[in-house]
Amino acid sequence: MAAQMELNLRPYQEEVVQAALRRQNSIIWLPTGGGKTRAAVYVTKNHLETTANAKVAVLVNKVHLVDQHYTKEFSPFLGSKYKVTAISGDSDQKDLFGILVKDSDLVICTAQILENALINTEEEKHVELTDFTLLVIDECHHAQKESVYNKIMGRYVEKKVRKEGNLPQILGLTASPGTGGSKTLEKAVEHVLQICANLDSVIVSTKNFTPMLKKVVPTPKKQYDIVVKRDQDPLGDHLKAMMLMIHEFMPPTVSRSLREMGTQEYEADVVELEKEGVRKENRLIAQCALHLRQYNDALLINDTIRMVDALQVLVEFYNSKKTRILDGTDIFLQGLFDENRVELKQLASNALYENPKLARLQRTLLDEFLNKNSRGILFSKTRRGTHCLFDWVNTNPELQRVNIRAGILTGAGTGANHMTQNGQKDTIREFRNGILNLLISTSVAEEGLDIPECNLVVRYGLLTNEIAQEQASGRARAMNSVYSVVAEEGGRELRREHINEYLKGLTAKAIDQVQQMSPRDFRLKISELQQIAVMIRIQTEKKKEAKKQRYSPGQVQFQCRECFTPVCSGEDFRTIENAHHVNINTEFKKHYRAGGQVCLERSFEDWEPGRVINCKKCGKDWGMEIKFKKVVILPCLKIKSFALTTPEGKTTPKYWKDVEFQVKAFDFTEDMSSHFPGLDLDD
């Protein structure tokens, strides 16, 4: 067995772990790169050495952090003496979580895995909070509202309020609790106290070693790379003129309510408009809204990346629509694009009108990569944005000349532009090893990702909050690092960055004020907030239950969201593993067409993915088939592809948890009898 690494803390780290060493629940507030995780390893080691029957869980909120914490921190320092296990959603072991916890001294997992185990009733999969003696919660500022962290801590706080014993010690870690969107000190203090109450913890930071901390965590040089608004934008103007024609095609009252084109507000408006169209079964409005959203996406991309990228959004959308023209609305919308296609292409390829932000970004990158062995992260708002920027970097001769080797890092998932979890790991590893020297990333890389050699962080066309800004600038860890904001003169991104600067200072003041409270006042305030939280939680659960029972399944009829064809009833649905909603009615098959095979990189206990399924009439994506127990193929449906007709009108739920009827759990014997006629499955 490898020898255990020596575990030494810097003086400021020693200062912030004192409360935890006294077994007091605490949140460690240290900037990104200040060594919060190392401090947590120290507390964990001390806990394992001094606690009878110790059992520790380290909870993270992103899959790639499980592996990082295991290989870089907990295993090297504790692995030779203790059984340390890393479990993430894509590992087969997660199904035996209860057994793994029994066999380990320390488990590192995503919070969702612990949450699943807390609610699972099967013995080998179930755990209780009281099975643990210490919970370490990484990026603990997420313990609020509906987050998984807060679901877990909600149970903890309820047990505490009910005076149930044997609860584990809590150790939270954060670089910034934020102000919760508040701009006043009073409200920011309330927010920090709420986080403390949610985690049942005091908040600690260094008081005696601030200069040393500043030395260890150099603040990157912040520069605003300001761009003058482009004089002329013929492509944007032409797209807006086409949008106005769509506005005129709709009833006049509708288009008057829409805000400025090419903004997030406009996007929010057309999303609502589509729902309204579906609820009123007005296909003209619903389809126009869907198409306007694509045009607005194109405007947003035209504002941040190349004109050709903006046009590509629409080309892909209309190419996918061509085969399914159902009525006059489709003929108008498709015709409008087809008539303008050639002119749009000409406008998009005129270099005179290219986006000036890209030229500014190019200069920023050249300044850092010319004659330097640099490593940088370029943050972009959307997955599509990262792919467009990647393409721009790779086809840009100037950037290739300074040997920029770019890779994309986006969130894990199963969609077209999603990465697999292994893809994420490979990209991060190649960046660490220097095979890649520029990561083009969505916010997935803002939190917790340990890449010490980074000396350039660029935020490109991003509007976020002060926590994300703090996290992102903290990625620039090398000496003489640069944190650049590429933004338009007088634009929203710039205003937001300045607000974030102010909020960062406000967060520090709020934490200081909380730390100044007398222990008694603090305890009373936390206790009051916790009692309120428990009452709210109980009420919310009751409301959720009542909502689920609002209609009987037979009262709810499903229609395709795009063509309004009635396809099934709520009675036809069952849940598998409490997560997948399948239609068990054999008649349902006649409504859909199956396409290509779905490939997922992880395997599941009882099922495997089949083919994608689409509405037979209009081609709307409905979900996929799944093969259950290698025996039966069932359609597994996305609720957002359907409109639901209830006794009180139409609804358009985004998630299955929002439906207002109870979906029964799948019972193989009972539910499959119609699939195997003449066979007695009860024998």
Side-chain angles (χ1 to χ4, degrees), residues 128-415:
E128 289 286 343
L129 278 173
T130 48
D131 293 344
F132 299 97
T133 53
L134 171 66
L135 289 185
V136 178
I137 302 180
D138 192 31
E139 310 292 355
C140 69
H141 50 272
H142 290 295
Q144 50 177 317
K145 301 186 177 126
E146 294 295 302
S147 73
V148 190
Y149 278 168
N150 213 24
K151 283 181 185 163
I152 293 167
M153 285 310 298
R155 284 196 191 82
Y156 181 102
V157 166
E158 192 170 328
K159 284 177 183 294
K160 181 205 164 186
V161 168
R162 294 185 194 283
K163 304 213 169 3
E164 293 179 29
N166 291 338
L167 286 169
Q169 181 183 340
I170 302 292
L171 177 65
L173 310 173
T174 183
S176 173
T179 67
S182 315
K183 293 187 175 64
T184 66
L185 182 57
E186 187 188 355
K187 291 280 180 206
V189 167
E190 276 176 31
H191 171 75
V192 172
L193 282 167
Q194 188 64 61
I195 298 268
C196 290
N198 293 351
L199 289 152
D200 192 40
S201 293
V202 296
I203 184 162
V204 291
S205 54
T206 181
K207 297 290 179 207
N208 306 322
F209 299 100
T210 313
M212 177 193 265
L213 177 60
K214 284 207 161 76
K215 214 168 172 180
V216 172
V217 186
T219 308
K221 179 178 127 232
K222 185 164 189 174
Q223 62 185 47
Y224 289 104
D225 294 333
I226 306 301
V227 182
V228 180
K229 199 174 170 66
R230 57 177 133 183
D231 293 335
Q232 289 174 291
D233 178 15
L235 177 69
D237 294 343
H238 198 93
L239 290 172
K240 285 176 182 171
M242 292 168 74
M243 289 164 84
L244 279 174
M245 291 173 83
I246 300 176
H247 284 191
E248 281 162 20
F249 186 74
M250 296 191 291
T253 48
V254 173
S255 52
R256 279 204 292 271
S257 66
L258 298 171
R259 284 172 284 183
E260 191 191 342
M261 296 174 191
T263 63
Q264 300 291 327
E265 288 80 7
Y266 184 89
E267 181 180 323
D269 290 346
V270 289
V271 165
E272 280 310 309
L273 186 61
E274 185 270 344
K275 286 184 200 165
E276 191 187 319
V278 170
R279 283 196 288 268
K280 291 180 176 167
E281 219 164 299
N282 183 329
R283 194 165 182 276
L284 185 151
I285 288 177
Q287 286 304 303
C288 286
L290 270 181
H291 287 242
L292 285 167
R293 183 172 180 184
Q294 296 295 325
Y295 278 92
N296 197 58
D297 273 355
L299 284 176
L300 289 166
I301 284 185
N302 181 49
D303 191 40
T304 43
I305 312 170
R306 296 171 302 187
M307 296 185 289
V308 288
D309 299 314
L311 181 56
Q312 192 55 29
V313 173
L314 293 170
V315 169
E316 283 172 19
F317 178 69
Y318 280 101
N319 286 351
S320 75
K321 285 270 178 202
K322 263 207 156 130
T323 49
R324 28 185 166 138
I325 287 183
L326 300 183
D327 58 19
T329 301
D330 293 342
I331 293 167
F332 165 73
L333 292 165
Q334 185 72 45
L336 177 67
F337 183 72
D338 287 342
E339 281 162 31
N340 285 274
R341 196 185 277 252
V342 174
E343 193 175 346
L344 287 169
K345 196 170 178 189
Q346 284 168 345
L347 290 171
S349 53
N350 187 339
L352 266 180
Y353 305 113
E354 195 45 281
N355 192 341
K357 285 183 192 164
L358 284 170
R360 179 63 262 198
L361 177 61
Q362 179 177 315
R363 286 213 303 282
T364 303
L365 291 172
L366 287 174
D367 286 348
E368 280 307 310
F369 281 90
L370 196 63
N371 310 322
K372 282 189 209 167
N373 188 12
S374 280
R375 234 177 263 193
I377 305 181
L378 170 54
F379 284 109
S380 169
K381 185 173 190 291
T382 61
R383 282 195 186 90
R384 184 184 271 278
T386 60
H387 286 266
C388 298
L389 285 167
F390 178 73
D391 190 50
W392 171 73
V393 168
N394 286 337
T395 53
N396 182 313
E398 296 286 316
L399 297 178
Q400 290 309 300
R401 211 168 288 142
V402 296
N403 199 17
I404 290 182
R405 303 177 299 281
I408 291 173
L409 184 68
T410 62
T414 52

Side-chain angles (χ1 to χ4, degrees), residues 435-451:
I435 297 165
L436 302 174
N437 57 11
L438 181 67
L439 265 194
I440 303 174
S441 175
T442 52
S443 61
V444 71
E446 276 173 356
E447 278 193 344
L449 192 57
D450 180 23
I451 303 165

Side-chain angles (χ1 to χ4, degrees), residues 537-555:
R537 187 166 172 246
I538 292 166
Q539 280 308 109
T540 311
E541 284 304 314
K542 275 187 187 153
K543 269 191 194 146
K544 256 193 214 154
E545 265 318 296
K547 188 181 174 187
K548 272 212 180 95
Q549 312 292 342
R550 190 167 177 193
Y551 305 115
S552 70
Q555 289 178 298

